[in-house]
Amino acid sequence: MKKLIKPISLIAQLAIVAAMTTVVVTSANANQTFTGTEDNVIDITPIKAASILTFSYEGDGVFTASPVDSAGTEGLSYSLEIGSFTGTYFQKTPSKPITALSIKGEGQWSVKISPLKSAPVLGAKMGSGNGTSVISIGKATTASKRITWKHDGEGVFVVTPISAKGVASFPLFLKIGAYNGTVIMKSGVQYFEVKADGNWSYSIK
């Protein structure tokens, strides 16, 4: 007597297919790096959360880089620089995913996209750096603090506090040239976006 072979159920078939298939997932929070030598619009893994973008440029002309969202709308430029430079900029959580970057610059350029949490950690009480940067002080402040900033550059000096969740507040100040001043920093701050063309430092009391 022959045994009847029952048809394999749909669930079983799906299980077999799943076992035979390797799925490679690319995290939206993974670092992304791109390079080029001329104007270009580059497609990226969509930016959906607070991030930092580091641009490097070697050339004599104007360099700009702007976000392009999923609707194809180009936003304001992260930077407008003339000549060679390197700088890191903050990107808040966008209302629509950022799916491309519009780069304009004749010369060697590169861009690195990273999650906000990858920002370099400086001291909870004091720290220093140079140029345009995004930094972390380790943990979010739990109360209002006095913070003193110093800058020895000649251009614009702006410091914007950012919460642990990646929400930016109004800049602490906007100055031009050398600066040495103390301001109040509210609680909940863990990161700063510093826009500068010289050496800078801070101390928190």
Side-chain angles (χ1 to χ4, degrees):
M1 180 177 179
K2 295 183 179 180
K3 293 183 179 180
L4 295 177
I5 300 176
K6 296 182 179 180
I8 300 176
S9 68
L10 177 60
I11 294 177
Q13 292 179 52
L14 292 175
I16 293 173
V17 171
M20 297 172 61
T21 304
T22 301
V23 179
V24 179
V25 178
T26 301
S27 171
N29 292 324
N31 292 335
Q32 304 180 63
T33 302
F34 305 90
T35 60
T37 57
E38 57 187 14
D39 294 358
N40 201 356
V41 178
I42 53 175
D43 293 320
I44 63 174
T45 299
I47 298 175
K48 300 179 181 179
S51 305
I52 56 177
L53 295 91
T54 299
F55 299 100
S56 293
Y57 174 64
E58 295 181 9
D60 297 323
V62 175
F63 177 86
T64 65
S66 306
V68 180
D69 68 21
S70 56
T73 302
E74 183 173 352
L76 296 176
S77 178
Y78 294 107
S79 66
L80 193 162
E81 302 287 344
I82 298 176
S84 299
F85 85 102
T86 296
T88 300
Y89 299 82
F90 171 67
Q91 169 61 57
K92 68 178 182 180
T93 300
S95 57
K96 294 180 180 179
I98 295 171
T99 57
L101 296 175
S102 176
I103 308 292
K104 296 178 181 178
E106 294 184 0
Q108 186 70 40
W109 55 260
S110 68
V111 54
K112 180 180 179 181
I113 306 170
S114 308
L116 176 60
K117 65 181 181 180
S118 68
V121 180
L122 301 187
K125 294 294 184 181
M126 62 181 62
S128 61
N130 177 273
T132 297
S133 309
V134 177
I135 61 168
S136 169
I137 57 174
K139 294 182 179 180
T141 56
T142 57
S144 295
K145 303 284 186 179
R146 295 181 183 183
I147 183 167
T148 299
W149 285 89
K150 297 180 181 180
H151 176 236
D152 67 3
E154 299 178 350
V156 173
F157 181 49
V158 185
V159 176
T160 302
I162 303 167
S163 74
K165 294 183 178 180
V167 178
S169 302
F170 287 109
L172 295 176
F173 49 76
L174 193 164
K175 302 293 181 178
I176 296 177
Y179 176 73
N180 184 346
T182 301
V183 295
I184 296 295
M185 175 181 66
K186 69 178 185 179
S187 64
V189 174
Q190 183 171 337
Y191 304 92
F192 292 106
E193 180 186 49
V194 183
K195 293 184 178 179
D197 67 351
N199 299 304
W200 49 261
S201 65
Y202 67 87
S203 60
I204 301 174
K205 297 180 180 179

